[in-house]
């Protein structure tokens, strides 16, 4: 059985919580990326678009684009 390497990270531009990580990467025989649940919080921890679903959705999509993907951060086998 191989040993697993676990890396917790908060990509630049995302809210940097002291309580949880935005991304956890587990490496061993394979690499798995776990992404935290999304909400309309900016990097300063402020809610964007209070009572406005459209603005909240735009914020979530903008934040989601900052997460690592296989094509821009990892080797794809």
């Amino acid at each position: 059985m191989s040993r697993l390497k676990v890396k917790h990270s908060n990509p630049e531009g995302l809210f940097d919580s002291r309580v949880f990580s935005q991304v956890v990467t587990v490496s061993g025989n394979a690499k798995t990326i776990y992404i935290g649940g999304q909400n309309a919080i900016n990097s300063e921890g402020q809610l964007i678009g209070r009572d406005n679903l459209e603005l909240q959705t735009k914020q979530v999509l903008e934040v989601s684009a900052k997460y690592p993907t296989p094509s821009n951060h990892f080797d794809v086998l």
Side-chain angles (χ1 to χ4, degrees):
M1 179 178 269
S2 70
R3 204 159 163 85
L4 298 178
K5 177 182 175 187
V6 179
K7 178 183 175 190
H8 297 261
S9 62
N10 291 304
E12 186 176 330
L14 300 181
F15 179 62
D16 189 5
S17 173
R18 295 183 297 177
V19 183
F20 63 89
S21 299
Q22 296 283 356
V23 179
V24 176
T25 305
V26 180
S27 302
N29 291 333
K31 185 175 284 186
T32 307
I33 304 169
Y34 298 92
I35 297 175
Q38 281 306 297
N39 51 41
I41 302 298
N42 68 12
S43 61
E44 286 82 39
Q46 301 165 324
L47 175 64
I48 301 300
R50 184 178 221 48
D51 299 323
N52 186 323
L53 182 59
E54 181 180 359
L55 288 178
Q56 290 179 19
T57 301
K58 287 179 180 180
Q59 176 66 19
V60 168
L61 293 173
E62 184 178 306
V63 166
S64 296
K66 297 178 182 187
Y67 282 112
T69 63
S71 62
N72 67 10
H73 286 275
F74 303 106
D75 294 332
V76 178
L77 302 176

